[in-house]
Amino acid sequence: MVIIGIITDFGERGHHYVAEMKGVGLQINPDVQIIDVAHSITPFSIIEAAFVLYKTYSTFPKNTIFVCVVDPGVGSNRDIVAIQTIDNYILIGPDNGIFSYFSNNNLIRFILKITESEFFYKPYSETIKMVEDHDEIYENPPSDSNISFPISSTFHGRDIMMPIAAHLSKGLEIFSIGTPKESVVILPDLEPKYSEKELNIKGMIQYIDDFGNIITNIPNDEFHLLTHNKFSKFRLKLLDKNYDIEFVSFFAENSPEKILLIEGSSNFLEICQNQRNTASKLNVIVGNVFQIKLMEE
Amino acid sequence: MVIIGIITDFGERGHHYVAEMKGVGLQINPDVQIIDVAHSITPFSIIEAAFVLYKTYSTFPKNTIFVCVVDPGVGSNRDIVAIQTIDNYILIGPDNGIFSYFSNNNLIRFILKITESEFFYKPYSETIKMVEDHDEIYENPPSDSNISFPISSTFHGRDIMMPIAAHLSKGLEIFSIGTPKESVVILPDLEPKYSEKELNIKGMIQYIDDFGNIITNIPNDEFHLLTHNKFSKFRLKLLDKNYDIEFVSFFAENSPEKILLIEGSSNFLEICQNQRNTASKLNVIVGNVFQIKLMEE
Amino acid sequence: MVIIGIITDFGERGHHYVAEMKGVGLQINPDVQIIDVAHSITPFSIIEAAFVLYKTYSTFPKNTIFVCVVDPGVGSNRDIVAIQTIDNYILIGPDNGIFSYFSNNNLIRFILKITESEFFYKPYSETIKMVEDHDEIYENPPSDSNISFPISSTFHGRDIMMPIAAHLSKGLEIFSIGTPKESVVILPDLEPKYSEKELNIKGMIQYIDDFGNIITNIPNDEFHLLTHNKFSKFRLKLLDKNYDIEFVSFFAENSPEKILLIEGSSNFLEICQNQRNTASKLNVIVGNVFQIKLMEE
């Protein structure tokens, strides 16, 4: 049985949008298992979606298909793509940077631009056909796109991405859904900058969870390569303030006051406190940049 | 495999109420697939629930059963009903207006009032039996109801609606659950009022999503019949303010400042902006009424 | 097919943590059905989690396994345990008081401390093995624990609890996961205090739902044993204020102004109003204590 995971920014009040996607998927493949990965991505935050997808996907069984509907450009001419990863997962979503981590880490086997409307949600593919047959009624059809998006009432997660995922989950040959594509859009500034000479890392906040833990874009293993486990005291510069922070391996033993740097379970460094909401304390949001300076001991 | 979809106003903190419903359903039919449609309906908002159910149901496979627990009158003598639609879905919930759209659009094949306690959750049906055997201990039993609701500890979603749905999902003959009923309660003012002479529509806000998109009660197709695609500029009168708004077919190309009128994916007109929270900007809530006046070009 | 239910305090923004747990569980047992019981437990609130687990579990089919990840002591030396109940459910979680109700009500058949890392999430058990092979690199390994938790990047819900649950759901013999344990941690003050002489109950608020209903720790049946259905008027003393409240059996017939005492569907007394948010009105939070004094009629 194949699994489809869904990531959206639809939020609590948009959960019925997710339900429509599930309904459509189950119409096509009644045996597919659909799992909610995350629906509380900040609206339009491609950074958060890119992080959540990358951090989560490999916990799922091989051949799981992820549908990612965080899509500020819906209705524009951005492509919708399907990616086969080298470790045999399939990722479907708008080509807007959401797959940056997979490209940056050479995890992509191939990319397809989704074009074949016969696999779309039936009411939508019928509309497309009708429009193609009578396209003179539209004064300004989108010009440089293989798929035309003629109407604002399209919901691409429901009408295109989920149906494609459901067909693939039933065994549809992946190359029948579209045409090869060389590369995907990459988010700028997703990678931290290391200065070994100045013992300095410039990073970004890429997620904040409900505990107030601040998840950075600095991979645990890259941090180790830089520090060789020789440093435990750091200075954090963030929003024009400085904080003395400490790298620790054991969480619960620390005073709640102390700001900690830990290896997060997402494989990225986290800035946090023991049972305190650090994001509120530091008054930060996703996208904020910071510097961590290694202090000689 | 039959699917049961659940709509409630239980919210995040009431998700374990949903879990109890699922547990009870899976006790009765371990093979049923239960899907969360929406749980963040504003508490007691029948309008929102009616909209979400109507807009969502047909994306699901035929024979899907929907259980709708938005029930401000719980414990009163309102009926609990099961509806068979003409397109072969089953809808279960309190008869409080939640099924208005199905009645207004002639989508109902028949209605049953649910009465047969043998199909209820076992601890509850045992309580009912015990009470019936000893009903003299209750001074004021509800008078005009086939089912007596003797105790405040009843949770009708868990004790009546889900068990009935689960039994139906296993193949229980639907006419064995209760007695035929002529009609259901209809929400007043759910239908927009069109004045072709004055080029004017009076509508209502029936949902607001987490993007701040305002979903009206004006069906896309009725709007087209009125405007014949000849109008694109409108004046919106809402909470004593006037806004110049524009009907557009392509979403992403518009300035975020501009208030747009679009055909929503729910098949109702939406008032929105490109990547802005319009509901916050206009300071509206569900139930607010408005006028849209068509402007000659 | 066995079911696994999950209770966490991860919240909306931590839903991908839940997804990782599901992914790991489905890797081990693709046929298991995983149900979200509750994820909006107030962060670190063991009281709420204990209540939700106890109130919900028996609605699920026998042999359901519950994984409870509300764990303020993560990374400390608290045990992770699996409990077999006398009614044949399995409960897995940190030994921090979350299972108090099961102990207090003599529902525990036996307790195991989970120790066998071969059943953990593979990347984690490999890390453990690596650390055990080279444990001299760690200066301060935890001393009094069978499992060492060497790294902050451990996520015990994903790395230990869910894998154990998934293996059990596939039929793993339960005694192979760890070693017997005599007792679990009990939350103090979870039981109400009754004074029959003074006609007085001292209780605590153990949950507040999104309707604002206040769920107490007073079981419906114990309340009946005390009042013998002879009292309906009570004085509630809460946060230094007094309220006259009334015990009612029928909910919807009461004025929204009146503060009611009802038998809740969770089998605990609730303080609430008809369609009003009582928790907001009384300005209370979970953990607040109160007195209810029975008034002679």
Side-chain angles (χ1 to χ4, degrees):
Chain A
M1 189 181 53
V2 176
I3 295 165
I4 296 175
I6 314 183
I7 296 174
T8 77
D9 57 355
F10 297 164
E12 269 308 292
R13 293 278 295 176
H15 201 78
H16 58 281
Y17 299 138
V18 178
E20 290 184 72
M21 291 174 62
K22 290 181 183 176
V24 167
L26 289 163
Q27 278 202 39
I28 293 167
N29 182 2
D31 294 324
V32 73
Q33 181 157 8
I34 305 178
I35 303 279
D36 298 305
V37 175
H39 298 303
S40 291
I41 301 292
T42 301
F44 313 123
S45 176
I46 298 169
I47 291 176
E48 290 183 12
F51 162 71
V52 165
L53 173 63
Y54 174 59
K55 129 180 196 32
T56 307
Y57 86 103
S58 67
T59 57
F60 279 76
K62 300 289 180 193
N63 301 313
T64 294
I65 302 166
F66 291 90
V67 176
C68 310
V69 198
V70 176
D71 194 9
V74 62
S76 70
N77 287 325
R78 56 98 189 89
D79 291 336
I80 298 175
V81 297
I83 290 173
Q84 172 93 46
T85 71
I86 56 170
D87 43 0
N88 287 318
Y89 297 87
I90 294 173
L91 318 173
I92 295 173
D95 182 16
N96 60 14
I98 213 170
F99 305 116
S100 294
Y101 272 117
F102 293 85
S103 184
N104 289 350
N105 292 288
N106 299 313
L107 290 165
I108 296 178
R109 179 166 291 146
F110 59 80
I111 307 164
L112 297 171
K113 173 179 170 177
I114 295 174
T115 56
E116 293 309 300
S117 62
E118 68 187 293
F119 304 115
F120 296 175
Y121 184 39
K122 195 144 290 168
Y124 178 57
S125 56
E126 283 164 3
T127 304
I128 292 178
K129 190 149 178 9
M130 201 177 67
V131 169
E132 285 171 351
D133 293 351
H134 301 276
D135 66 356
E136 65 274 16
I137 67 171
Y138 284 82
E139 286 178 34
N140 297 303
S143 50
D144 57 340
S145 169
N146 283 18
I147 309 168
S148 49
F149 301 103
I151 41 175
S152 62
S153 60
T154 305
F155 166 15
H156 291 164
R158 176 194 66 190
D159 296 342
I160 299 177
M161 300 181 214
M162 177 54 84
I164 290 286
H167 280 292
L168 292 174
S169 77
K170 276 207 310 189
L172 178 68
E173 158 56 41
I174 192 166
F175 289 105
S176 62
I177 65 171
T179 55
K181 196 173 146 78
E182 271 305 299
S183 61
V184 287
V185 170
I186 306 294
L187 291 177
D189 305 323
L190 204 61
E191 307 276 282
K193 306 272 179 298
Y194 304 97
S195 162
E196 216 155 336
K197 206 175 104 200
E198 297 174 28
L199 297 170
N200 192 60
I201 310 173
K202 290 185 183 175
M204 186 187 60
I205 296 175
Q206 64 179 345
Y207 200 81
I208 295 168
D209 69 19
D210 278 341
F211 296 110
N213 297 327
I214 297 168
I215 293 123
T216 76
N217 65 336
I218 304 168
N220 290 341
D221 53 357
E222 294 185 7
F223 180 74
H224 272 299
L225 283 177
L226 191 73
T227 64
H228 305 291
N229 292 317
K230 281 189 294 199
F231 298 85
S232 71
K233 295 193 184 307
F234 300 86
R235 178 150 300 153
L236 169 69
K237 186 171 177 185
L238 175 60
L239 297 178
D240 288 330
K241 287 196 178 152
N242 289 290
Y243 304 90
D244 288 318
I245 66 176
E246 193 170 335
F247 179 80
V248 299
S249 293
F250 300 93
F251 195 64
E253 294 156 10
N254 287 282
S255 145
E257 297 302 329
K258 205 156 65 175
I259 300 179
L260 308 172
L261 191 64
I262 67 164
E263 295 180 292
S265 68
S266 57
N267 297 324
F268 289 97
L269 286 193
E270 298 183 12
I271 299 164
C272 60
Q273 291 162 283
N274 184 9
Q275 296 186 45
R276 289 283 169 88
N277 191 313
T278 309
S280 293
K281 182 188 167 76
L282 304 189
N283 201 20
V284 293
I285 59 171
V286 168
N288 284 161
V289 295
F290 60 83
Q291 289 186 40
I292 292 178
K293 196 164 168 54
L294 289 62
M295 310 298 282
E296 301 284 355
E297 313 227 345
Chain B
M1 189 181 54
V2 176
I3 295 164
I4 296 176
I6 314 183
I7 296 175
T8 77
D9 57 355
F10 297 164
E12 269 308 292
R13 293 278 295 176
H15 200 78
H16 58 281
Y17 299 138
V18 178
E20 291 184 72
M21 292 174 62
K22 290 181 183 175
V24 167
L26 289 163
Q27 278 202 38
I28 293 167
N29 182 2
D31 293 324
V32 73
Q33 180 157 9
I34 305 178
I35 302 279
D36 298 305
V37 175
H39 298 304
S40 290
I41 301 293
T42 301
F44 313 123
S45 176
I46 298 169
I47 291 176
E48 290 183 12
F51 161 71
V52 165
L53 173 63
Y54 173 60
K55 130 181 197 30
T56 307
Y57 86 104
S58 67
T59 57
F60 279 76
K62 300 289 180 193
N63 301 313
T64 295
I65 302 166
F66 291 91
V67 176
C68 309
V69 198
V70 176
D71 193 9
V74 62
S76 70
N77 287 325
R78 56 98 189 89
D79 291 336
I80 298 175
V81 297
I83 290 173
Q84 172 93 47
T85 71
I86 57 170
D87 44 0
N88 287 318
Y89 296 86
I90 294 174
L91 319 173
I92 294 174
D95 183 16
N96 60 14
I98 213 170
F99 305 116
S100 294
Y101 273 117
F102 292 85
S103 184
N104 289 350
N105 292 287
N106 300 313
L107 290 166
I108 296 178
R109 178 166 291 145
F110 60 80
I111 307 164
L112 297 171
K113 172 179 169 176
I114 295 174
T115 56
E116 293 309 299
S117 62
E118 69 187 292
F119 304 115
F120 296 175
Y121 184 40
K122 195 144 288 168
Y124 178 57
S125 56
E126 284 164 3
T127 304
I128 291 178
K129 190 149 178 7
M130 201 176 67
V131 169
E132 285 171 351
D133 292 351
H134 301 276
D135 65 355
E136 65 274 15
I137 67 171
Y138 284 83
E139 286 178 34
N140 297 302
S143 51
D144 57 340
S145 169
N146 284 18
I147 309 168
S148 49
F149 301 103
I151 41 175
S152 62
S153 60
T154 306
F155 165 15
H156 291 165
R158 176 194 66 190
D159 296 342
I160 299 177
M161 300 180 215
M162 176 54 83
I164 290 287
H167 280 293
L168 291 174
S169 77
K170 276 206 311 188
L172 177 69
E173 158 57 41
I174 191 166
F175 289 105
S176 62
I177 65 171
T179 56
K181 196 173 147 77
E182 270 305 299
S183 61
V184 286
V185 170
I186 305 294
L187 291 177
D189 305 323
L190 205 61
E191 308 275 282
K193 307 272 179 297
Y194 304 97
S195 162
E196 215 155 338
K197 207 175 102 201
E198 297 175 29
L199 297 171
N200 193 60
I201 310 173
K202 290 185 183 175
M204 186 187 61
I205 296 175
Q206 64 179 346
Y207 201 81
I208 295 168
D209 69 20
D210 278 342
F211 296 110
N213 297 326
I214 297 167
I215 293 123
T216 76
N217 64 337
I218 304 167
N220 291 341
D221 53 357
E222 294 185 7
F223 180 75
H224 272 300
L225 283 177
L226 191 73
T227 64
H228 305 292
N229 292 317
K230 281 189 295 200
F231 299 84
S232 72
K233 294 192 184 307
F234 300 85
R235 178 150 300 154
L236 170 69
K237 186 173 177 185
L238 174 60
L239 297 177
D240 288 330
K241 287 196 178 152
N242 288 290
Y243 304 90
D244 288 318
I245 65 176
E246 193 170 335
F247 179 81
V248 299
S249 293
F250 300 93
F251 195 64
E253 294 156 10
N254 287 282
S255 145
E257 297 301 329
K258 206 155 65 175
I259 299 178
L260 308 172
L261 192 64
I262 67 164
E263 295 180 291
S265 68
S266 57
N267 297 324
F268 289 97
L269 286 193
E270 299 182 12
I271 299 163
C272 60
Q273 292 162 282
N274 184 9
Q275 296 185 45
R276 289 284 170 88
N277 191 312
T278 309
S280 293
K281 183 188 166 76
L282 303 189
N283 201 20
V284 293
I285 59 171
V286 168
N288 284 160
V289 295
F290 60 83
Q291 290 186 40
I292 292 177
K293 196 166 169 52
L294 290 61
M295 310 298 282
E296 301 284 356
E297 312 227 346
Chain C
M1 189 181 54
V2 176
I3 295 165
I4 296 176
I6 314 183
I7 296 175
T8 77
D9 57 355
F10 297 163
E12 269 308 292
R13 293 278 294 177
H15 201 77
H16 58 280
Y17 300 138
V18 178
E20 291 184 72
M21 291 174 62
K22 290 181 182 175
V24 167
L26 289 163
Q27 278 202 39
I28 293 167
N29 182 3
D31 293 324
V32 73
Q33 180 157 9
I34 305 178
I35 303 280
D36 298 305
V37 175
H39 298 303
S40 290
I41 301 293
T42 301
F44 313 123
S45 176
I46 298 169
I47 291 175
E48 290 183 12
F51 162 71
V52 165
L53 173 63
Y54 174 59
K55 130 181 197 30
T56 307
Y57 86 103
S58 67
T59 57
F60 279 75
K62 300 289 181 193
N63 301 313
T64 295
I65 302 166
F66 291 91
V67 175
C68 310
V69 198
V70 176
D71 194 9
V74 62
S76 70
N77 287 325
R78 56 99 189 88
D79 290 335
I80 298 174
V81 297
I83 290 173
Q84 172 93 46
T85 71
I86 57 170
D87 43 0
N88 287 318
Y89 296 86
I90 294 173
L91 318 173
I92 295 174
D95 182 16
N96 60 15
I98 213 170
F99 305 116
S100 295
Y101 272 117
F102 293 85
S103 184
N104 289 350
N105 292 287
N106 299 313
L107 290 166
I108 296 178
R109 178 166 291 145
F110 59 80
I111 307 163
L112 297 171
K113 173 179 170 177
I114 295 174
T115 56
E116 293 308 300
S117 62
E118 68 187 292
F119 304 115
F120 296 175
Y121 184 40
K122 195 144 289 168
Y124 178 57
S125 56
E126 284 164 3
T127 304
I128 291 178
K129 190 149 178 5
M130 201 177 67
V131 169
E132 285 171 351
D133 293 351
H134 301 276
D135 65 355
E136 65 274 16
I137 67 171
Y138 284 83
E139 286 178 34
N140 297 302
S143 50
D144 57 341
S145 169
N146 283 18
I147 309 168
S148 50
F149 300 104
I151 41 174
S152 62
S153 60
T154 306
F155 165 15
H156 291 164
R158 176 194 67 191
D159 296 342
I160 299 177
M161 300 181 214
M162 176 54 84
I164 290 287
H167 280 292
L168 292 174
S169 77
K170 276 207 310 189
L172 177 68
E173 158 57 41
I174 191 166
F175 290 105
S176 62
I177 65 172
T179 55
K181 196 173 145 77
E182 271 305 299
S183 61
V184 287
V185 170
I186 306 294
L187 290 177
D189 306 323
L190 204 61
E191 307 276 282
K193 307 272 179 298
Y194 304 97
S195 162
E196 216 155 337
K197 206 175 103 200
E198 297 175 28
L199 297 170
N200 193 60
I201 310 173
K202 290 185 183 175
M204 186 188 60
I205 296 174
Q206 64 179 346
Y207 200 80
I208 294 168
D209 69 19
D210 278 341
F211 296 110
N213 297 327
I214 296 168
I215 293 123
T216 75
N217 64 336
I218 304 167
N220 291 340
D221 52 357
E222 294 185 7
F223 180 74
H224 272 300
L225 283 177
L226 191 73
T227 64
H228 305 292
N229 292 317
K230 281 189 294 200
F231 298 84
S232 72
K233 294 193 184 307
F234 300 85
R235 179 149 300 153
L236 170 69
K237 186 171 177 185
L238 175 60
L239 297 177
D240 288 329
K241 288 196 178 152
N242 288 290
Y243 305 90
D244 288 318
I245 65 176
E246 193 170 335
F247 179 80
V248 299
S249 293
F250 299 92
F251 195 64
E253 294 156 10
N254 287 282
S255 145
E257 297 301 329
K258 205 156 65 177
I259 300 178
L260 308 172
L261 191 64
I262 67 163
E263 295 181 291
S265 68
S266 57
N267 297 324
F268 289 96
L269 286 193
E270 298 183 12
I271 299 164
C272 60
Q273 292 162 282
N274 185 10
Q275 296 185 45
R276 289 283 170 89
N277 191 313
T278 309
S280 293
K281 183 188 167 75
L282 304 189
N283 201 20
V284 293
I285 59 171
V286 168
N288 284 160
V289 295
F290 60 83
Q291 290 186 40
I292 292 177
K293 196 165 168 53
L294 290 61
M295 310 298 282
E296 302 284 356
E297 313 228 344

